Amino acid sequence: MGFCKRGEGGDFVSNGRIELGGALPVNTHGGLLSEAHILGMNHYIEAVRQLRGEAGARQVKDARIGVVTGFGDFGDGCMAILGA
């Protein structure tokens, strides 16, 4: 998605940058470790909850844009960009 150059991912995510409260929170609902089932719909549900301000303790402050991505087993992929 162009957030960093190839090989710079480690530095990009260091120091809590992608954690809740960081500059770019990722997988606020736990991602694949917590809510990956039902064909990925829980990722969309989390994005909608974030944009509505209904995510409780894991709420991203002032969330206005949500991105949900998915890549399948056969090289296919998708991205949804949601806005409030």
Side-chain angles (χ1 to χ4, degrees):
M1 293 196 299
F3 292 116
C4 58
K5 294 180 183 177
R6 187 179 189 112
E8 295 179 356
D11 289 335
F12 182 80
V13 301
S14 66
N15 299 321
R17 185 171 192 174
I18 63 170
E19 295 176 9
L20 189 61
L24 185 67
V26 174
N27 290 328
T28 54
H29 68 318
L32 294 175
L33 296 175
S34 299
E35 296 192 23
H37 302 290
I38 67 166
L39 302 175
M41 286 306 298
N42 285 332
H43 303 311
Y44 291 94
I45 292 167
E46 175 67 8
V48 170
R49 286 180 179 154
Q50 288 289 342
L51 296 174
R52 289 180 176 174
E54 299 173 352
R58 63 181 186 272
Q59 180 65 47
V60 173
K61 184 179 180 198
D62 300 323
R64 296 288 176 257
I65 297 174
V67 177
V68 179
T69 64
F71 295 94
D73 295 335
F74 303 106
D76 55 339
C78 64
M79 177 186 292
I81 302 172
L82 305 144

